[in-house]
Amino acid sequence: MDASSAPFPVRHKKLSLDIQVIATQIGSMGTTLHARKEEGVSIHPTFSVSVIFGKRDEPVLVACARQLIEHISNCGSSRPLVLSLGLKDHSVGTLKGVVTAVIANRLW
């Protein structure tokens, strides 16, 4: 098998839903965030969310990523999350819809 026909090397899942708005409202990837659970000796877990690319002044996007990584961690996974949100509407309702859809479809 040559490199051009090799499968994409990273496991991935695809989901397309209508959540009040379409998650690709701007026709591009939008803001890309990285979220992970910090390893430590504390009883209470801590989480780190950083913006890799895009809008750094949108705390609601960071909150969305944090909610998702907390849920993923509580389900027993220690995997980090890379999330890309290309939205025109950054309302709390829209982001709750994104979180709900990802959790309902267990995209991790």
Side-chain angles (χ1 to χ4, degrees), residues 36-48 66 70 73-74:
R36 64 186 174 95
K37 181 179 178 182
E38 298 285 338
E39 297 300 325
V41 295
S42 175
I43 295 172
H44 303 289
T46 57
F47 301 92
S48 168
R66 182 178 170 88
E70 284 183 25
S73 176
N74 289 338

Side-chain angles (χ1 to χ4, degrees), residues 73-85:
S73 176
N74 289 338
C75 288
S77 177
S78 60
R79 295 171 60 180
L81 169 71
V82 176
L83 175 68
S84 182
L85 298 170

Side-chain angles (χ1 to χ4, degrees), residues 80-103:
L81 169 71
V82 176
L83 175 68
S84 182
L85 298 170
L87 304 172
K88 288 180 185 176
D89 178 6
H90 292 184
S91 69
V92 172
T94 297
L95 276 292
K96 281 184 180 180
V98 170
V99 170
T100 300
V102 171
I103 289 171

Side-chain angles (χ1 to χ4, degrees), residues 31-38 46-53 55-56 58-72 79-85 95:
T31 301
T32 303
L33 303 109
H34 179 263
R36 64 186 174 95
K37 181 179 178 182
E38 298 285 338
T46 57
F47 301 92
S48 168
V49 178
S50 58
V51 176
I52 297 171
F53 179 79
K55 294 186 176 189
R56 298 184 185 281
E58 290 288 345
V60 73
L61 299 181
V62 172
C64 178
R66 182 178 170 88
Q67 282 186 339
L68 287 171
I69 195 63
E70 284 183 25
H71 184 81
I72 290 167
R79 295 171 60 180
L81 169 71
V82 176
L83 175 68
S84 182
L85 298 170
L95 276 292

Side-chain angles (χ1 to χ4, degrees), residues 1-57:
M1 179 184 299
D2 66 278
S4 64
S5 63
F8 191 67
V10 178
R11 261 184 19 146
H12 64 284
K13 293 182 181 180
K14 222 178 203 185
L15 174 68
S16 177
L17 296 173
D18 185 4
I19 311 166
Q20 292 179 338
V21 292
I22 298 171
T24 57
Q25 294 173 322
I26 61 173
S28 67
M29 288 179 39
T31 301
T32 303
L33 303 109
H34 179 263
R36 64 186 174 95
K37 181 179 178 182
E38 298 285 338
E39 297 300 325
V41 295
S42 175
I43 295 172
H44 303 289
T46 57
F47 301 92
S48 168
V49 178
S50 58
V51 176
I52 297 171
F53 179 79
K55 294 186 176 189
R56 298 184 185 281
D57 59 347

